[in-house]
Amino acid sequence: MEKLMKREKEVSTLTSQIEALKSQIGALESKVHSGEKKAEALAKEKMRVEAELEAMTKKSHDASGQLVSISQELLKKER
């Protein structure tokens, strides 16, 4: 009888520990999900910024080309 009560107490303790661990797992899964969402949002933002940078680089390149053309025309007119 004493052994049985001891075993029941152990089972009860283990059950409590299992429930606590399940709760921790749930919290960690929630954090992982939140982290994944943030990573996805950051990846989208990175793509947007890269596209914007590419567009600005193209505009800068075009403007540089125009500046070279204008400079050449001015040099021709001065001569």
Side-chain angles (χ1 to χ4, degrees):
M1 196 67 169
E2 194 175 311
K3 284 184 179 181
L4 180 60
M5 288 184 71
K6 187 178 178 182
R7 290 287 183 205
E8 285 179 356
K9 200 172 189 180
E10 288 175 359
V11 168
S12 177
T13 301
L14 290 173
T15 303
S16 295
Q17 289 176 350
I18 288 171
E19 291 303 316
L21 290 172
K22 283 181 180 178
S23 176
Q24 289 177 359
I25 288 171
L28 290 172
E29 286 175 340
S30 177
K31 284 182 180 180
V32 167
H33 183 67
S34 176
E36 287 173 344
K37 279 188 169 183
K38 286 180 182 177
E40 186 177 315
L42 287 172
K44 285 180 181 178
E45 180 67 11
K46 179 185 175 211
M47 288 173 55
R48 186 191 67 75
V49 168
E50 286 175 342
E52 189 176 318
L53 176 62
E54 187 176 332
M56 289 179 151
T57 302
K58 184 179 179 201
K59 284 181 183 179
S60 174
H61 181 71
D62 292 347
S64 293
Q66 288 177 349
L67 182 60
V68 167
S69 295
I70 291 170
S71 295
Q72 288 175 348
E73 285 181 32
L74 284 173
L75 285 173
K76 285 179 184 178
K77 287 181 180 180
E78 286 178 358
R79 290 179 189 161

